[in-house]
Short mmCIF file of all heavy atoms in Angstrom, two decimals:
data_model
loop_
_atom_site.label_atom_id
_atom_site.label_comp_id
_atom_site.label_asym_id
_atom_site.label_seq_id
_atom_site.Cartn_x
_atom_site.Cartn_y
_atom_site.Cartn_z
N PRO A 30 0.75 -1.21 -0.04
CA PRO A 30 0.02 0.03 0.06
C PRO A 30 0.83 1.30 0.01
O PRO A 30 0.31 2.33 -0.33
CB PRO A 30 -0.82 -0.19 1.27
CG PRO A 30 -0.04 -1.06 2.17
CD PRO A 30 0.56 -2.11 1.16
N LEU A 31 2.09 1.21 0.33
CA LEU A 31 2.98 2.47 0.38
C LEU A 31 3.83 2.49 -0.94
O LEU A 31 4.55 3.46 -1.00
CB LEU A 31 3.91 2.39 1.50
CG LEU A 31 3.21 2.29 2.93
CD1 LEU A 31 4.29 2.39 3.96
CD2 LEU A 31 2.25 3.33 3.08
N SER A 32 3.51 1.77 -1.90
CA SER A 32 4.22 1.87 -3.18
C SER A 32 4.08 3.28 -3.80
O SER A 32 2.98 3.83 -3.83
CB SER A 32 3.70 0.85 -4.27
OG SER A 32 4.39 0.91 -5.42
N GLY A 33 5.22 3.77 -4.15
CA GLY A 33 5.21 5.09 -4.71
C GLY A 33 5.83 6.08 -3.79
O GLY A 33 6.29 7.29 -4.21
N LEU A 34 5.92 5.84 -2.40
CA LEU A 34 6.52 6.67 -1.55
C LEU A 34 8.11 6.62 -1.59
O LEU A 34 8.56 5.37 -1.66
CB LEU A 34 6.02 6.37 -0.06
CG LEU A 34 4.64 6.86 0.38
CD1 LEU A 34 4.26 6.39 1.73
CD2 LEU A 34 4.49 8.41 0.22
N LYS A 35 8.77 7.64 -1.35
CA LYS A 35 10.15 7.64 -1.40
C LYS A 35 10.60 8.15 -0.14
O LYS A 35 10.40 9.35 0.25
CB LYS A 35 10.81 8.58 -2.56
CG LYS A 35 10.32 7.98 -3.91
CD LYS A 35 10.65 9.05 -4.99
CE LYS A 35 12.11 9.16 -5.26
NZ LYS A 35 12.57 7.97 -6.14
N ILE A 36 11.33 7.41 0.70
CA ILE A 36 11.79 7.69 1.94
C ILE A 36 13.28 7.52 2.17
O ILE A 36 13.96 6.50 1.72
CB ILE A 36 11.11 6.79 2.91
CG1 ILE A 36 9.58 6.95 2.94
CG2 ILE A 36 11.60 6.98 4.40
CD1 ILE A 36 8.81 6.04 3.74
N LEU A 37 13.98 8.44 2.76
CA LEU A 37 15.42 8.49 3.12
C LEU A 37 15.67 8.09 4.66
O LEU A 37 14.79 8.48 5.42
CB LEU A 37 16.08 9.80 2.91
CG LEU A 37 16.10 10.29 1.44
CD1 LEU A 37 16.64 11.72 1.42
CD2 LEU A 37 16.95 9.52 0.57
N GLU A 38 16.47 7.13 4.85
CA GLU A 38 16.80 6.62 6.11
C GLU A 38 18.18 7.00 6.45
O GLU A 38 19.07 6.48 5.80
CB GLU A 38 16.47 5.21 6.30
CG GLU A 38 16.97 4.45 7.56
CD GLU A 38 17.11 3.05 7.32
OE1 GLU A 38 16.81 2.41 6.32
OE2 GLU A 38 17.59 2.47 8.45
N ILE A 39 18.54 7.75 7.41
CA ILE A 39 19.90 8.01 7.86
C ILE A 39 20.19 6.78 8.76
O ILE A 39 19.53 6.58 9.76
CB ILE A 39 20.08 9.26 8.63
CG1 ILE A 39 19.49 10.47 7.80
CG2 ILE A 39 21.58 9.51 8.81
CD1 ILE A 39 20.09 10.73 6.43
N ALA A 40 21.28 6.05 8.47
CA ALA A 40 21.53 4.83 9.21
C ALA A 40 21.68 5.01 10.59
O ALA A 40 22.38 5.95 11.05
CB ALA A 40 22.84 4.21 8.56
N ALA A 41 21.08 4.21 11.41
CA ALA A 41 21.16 4.28 12.89
C ALA A 41 21.01 2.91 13.42
O ALA A 41 20.96 1.87 12.67
CB ALA A 41 20.11 5.17 13.44
N LEU A 42 20.71 2.80 14.79
CA LEU A 42 20.64 1.47 15.48
C LEU A 42 19.23 1.36 15.84
O LEU A 42 18.51 2.26 16.16
CB LEU A 42 21.49 1.46 16.59
CG LEU A 42 23.05 1.50 16.36
CD1 LEU A 42 23.69 1.56 17.66
CD2 LEU A 42 23.53 0.35 15.52
N GLY A 43 18.71 0.04 15.85
CA GLY A 43 17.52 -0.33 16.61
C GLY A 43 16.22 0.10 15.98
O GLY A 43 15.78 -0.27 14.89
N PRO A 44 15.57 1.11 16.67
CA PRO A 44 14.11 1.40 16.24
C PRO A 44 14.13 2.12 14.91
O PRO A 44 13.04 1.94 14.16
CB PRO A 44 13.54 2.37 17.31
CG PRO A 44 14.86 2.79 18.05
CD PRO A 44 15.87 1.63 17.90
N ALA A 45 14.99 3.03 14.58
CA ALA A 45 14.91 3.68 13.27
C ALA A 45 15.09 2.74 12.13
O ALA A 45 14.12 2.80 11.18
CB ALA A 45 15.98 4.81 13.21
N PRO A 46 15.95 1.86 12.08
CA PRO A 46 15.89 0.90 10.87
C PRO A 46 14.79 -0.15 10.87
O PRO A 46 14.32 -0.55 9.90
CB PRO A 46 17.30 0.06 11.14
CG PRO A 46 17.76 0.44 12.61
CD PRO A 46 17.22 1.82 12.88
N PHE A 47 14.26 -0.51 12.17
CA PHE A 47 13.10 -1.35 12.18
C PHE A 47 11.86 -0.61 11.54
O PHE A 47 11.06 -1.11 10.84
CB PHE A 47 12.70 -1.68 13.67
CG PHE A 47 11.61 -2.65 13.77
CD1 PHE A 47 11.76 -3.97 13.16
CD2 PHE A 47 10.45 -2.38 14.51
CE1 PHE A 47 10.63 -4.94 13.27
CE2 PHE A 47 9.46 -3.35 14.41
CZ PHE A 47 9.57 -4.59 13.85
N CYS A 48 11.75 0.75 11.80
CA CYS A 48 10.71 1.55 11.25
C CYS A 48 10.83 1.59 9.67
O CYS A 48 9.85 1.39 8.96
CB CYS A 48 10.71 2.89 11.80
SG CYS A 48 9.55 4.12 11.04
N ALA A 49 12.06 1.73 9.33
CA ALA A 49 12.28 1.70 7.80
C ALA A 49 11.94 0.51 7.20
O ALA A 49 11.48 0.39 5.97
CB ALA A 49 13.73 2.16 7.55
N MET A 50 12.32 -0.70 7.91
CA MET A 50 12.02 -1.99 7.42
C MET A 50 10.51 -2.16 7.24
O MET A 50 10.04 -2.65 6.16
CB MET A 50 12.65 -2.98 8.28
CG MET A 50 12.51 -4.46 8.01
SD MET A 50 12.49 -5.69 9.23
CE MET A 50 10.80 -5.50 9.77
N LEU A 51 9.77 -1.71 8.11
CA LEU A 51 8.33 -1.85 8.11
C LEU A 51 7.81 -1.20 6.97
O LEU A 51 6.93 -1.69 6.21
CB LEU A 51 7.70 -1.34 9.40
CG LEU A 51 7.89 -2.05 10.66
CD1 LEU A 51 7.33 -1.25 11.91
CD2 LEU A 51 7.33 -3.47 10.53
N LEU A 52 8.34 0.15 6.70
CA LEU A 52 7.81 0.97 5.58
C LEU A 52 8.16 0.30 4.22
O LEU A 52 7.48 0.29 3.27
CB LEU A 52 8.32 2.32 5.64
CG LEU A 52 7.91 3.01 7.02
CD1 LEU A 52 8.66 4.45 6.98
CD2 LEU A 52 6.34 3.34 7.05
N SER A 53 9.40 -0.24 4.13
CA SER A 53 9.79 -0.94 3.04
C SER A 53 9.02 -2.18 2.78
O SER A 53 8.51 -2.41 1.68
CB SER A 53 11.32 -1.31 3.04
OG SER A 53 11.73 -2.25 2.03
N ASP A 54 8.74 -2.94 3.86
CA ASP A 54 7.99 -4.19 3.64
C ASP A 54 6.49 -3.86 2.98
O ASP A 54 5.95 -4.72 2.37
CB ASP A 54 7.67 -4.87 4.98
CG ASP A 54 9.05 -5.70 5.48
OD1 ASP A 54 9.81 -5.65 4.62
OD2 ASP A 54 8.89 -6.11 6.68
N LEU A 55 6.01 -2.69 3.45
CA LEU A 55 4.76 -2.25 2.88
C LEU A 55 4.77 -1.54 1.61
O LEU A 55 3.77 -1.00 1.18
CB LEU A 55 3.99 -1.49 3.98
CG LEU A 55 3.81 -2.14 5.32
CD1 LEU A 55 2.98 -1.30 6.21
CD2 LEU A 55 3.09 -3.48 5.26
N GLY A 56 5.86 -1.56 0.97
CA GLY A 56 5.98 -1.08 -0.35
C GLY A 56 6.63 0.24 -0.71
O GLY A 56 6.90 0.62 -1.82
N ALA A 57 7.10 0.90 0.40
CA ALA A 57 7.79 2.19 0.03
C ALA A 57 9.11 1.90 -0.42
O ALA A 57 9.80 0.95 -0.08
CB ALA A 57 7.84 3.00 1.47
N GLU A 58 9.73 2.87 -1.34
CA GLU A 58 11.15 2.76 -1.71
C GLU A 58 11.98 3.55 -0.57
O GLU A 58 11.81 4.77 -0.51
CB GLU A 58 11.31 3.51 -3.04
CG GLU A 58 12.84 3.48 -3.42
CD GLU A 58 13.12 4.31 -4.68
OE1 GLU A 58 12.10 4.80 -5.35
OE2 GLU A 58 14.32 4.54 -5.00
N VAL A 59 12.61 2.79 0.20
CA VAL A 59 13.45 3.33 1.23
C VAL A 59 14.91 3.26 0.90
O VAL A 59 15.34 2.15 0.58
CB VAL A 59 13.17 2.60 2.60
CG1 VAL A 59 13.89 3.34 3.73
CG2 VAL A 59 11.65 2.67 2.98
N VAL A 60 15.62 4.19 0.91
CA VAL A 60 17.11 4.37 0.71
C VAL A 60 17.74 4.68 1.91
O VAL A 60 17.52 5.66 2.67
CB VAL A 60 17.41 5.38 -0.37
CG1 VAL A 60 18.93 5.60 -0.44
CG2 VAL A 60 16.82 5.01 -1.71
N ARG A 61 18.64 3.70 2.37
CA ARG A 61 19.51 3.94 3.59
C ARG A 61 20.76 4.68 3.21
O ARG A 61 21.50 4.18 2.36
CB ARG A 61 19.80 2.47 4.15
CG ARG A 61 20.47 2.70 5.54
CD ARG A 61 20.66 1.29 6.25
NE ARG A 61 21.76 0.61 5.70
CZ ARG A 61 21.63 -0.61 4.92
NH1 ARG A 61 20.37 -1.00 4.74
NH2 ARG A 61 22.68 -1.19 4.55
N ILE A 62 20.99 5.70 4.04
CA ILE A 62 22.26 6.40 3.85
C ILE A 62 23.15 5.97 4.90
O ILE A 62 23.10 6.26 6.05
CB ILE A 62 21.99 7.94 3.93
CG1 ILE A 62 20.96 8.39 2.78
CG2 ILE A 62 23.28 8.73 3.82
CD1 ILE A 62 20.59 9.77 2.79
N ASP A 63 24.27 5.21 4.55
CA ASP A 63 25.30 4.72 5.37
C ASP A 63 26.50 5.42 5.28
O ASP A 63 26.77 6.36 4.38
CB ASP A 63 25.59 3.14 4.91
CG ASP A 63 24.62 2.23 5.38
OD1 ASP A 63 24.40 2.13 6.67
OD2 ASP A 63 23.94 1.46 4.56
N ARG A 64 27.43 5.21 6.27
CA ARG A 64 28.76 5.72 6.21
C ARG A 64 29.49 4.97 5.19
O ARG A 64 29.48 3.79 5.09
CB ARG A 64 29.33 5.71 7.70
CG ARG A 64 28.67 6.47 8.70
CD ARG A 64 29.38 6.19 10.11
NE ARG A 64 28.67 6.82 11.12
CZ ARG A 64 29.11 6.68 12.43
NH1 ARG A 64 30.27 6.01 12.72
NH2 ARG A 64 28.48 7.44 13.41
#
């Protein structure tokens, strides 16, 4: 259902990546910005 959304994720620990994973699982395009 979130297909078409574009989300940037600044790499972090724990809850932030879990939230990003949930949004990705539901169809959003999530790009993780790593070091």
Side-chain angles (χ1 to χ4, degrees):
L31 301 184
S32 180
L34 284 177
K35 298 168 74 73
I36 298 174
L37 296 174
E38 169 202 0
I39 310 298
L42 297 175
F47 185 61
C48 174
M50 184 204 79
L51 294 174
L52 300 176
S53 169
D54 283 354
L55 299 183
E58 178 189 352
V59 184
V60 169
R61 187 175 77 249
I62 299 176
D63 279 303
R64 297 177 181 178

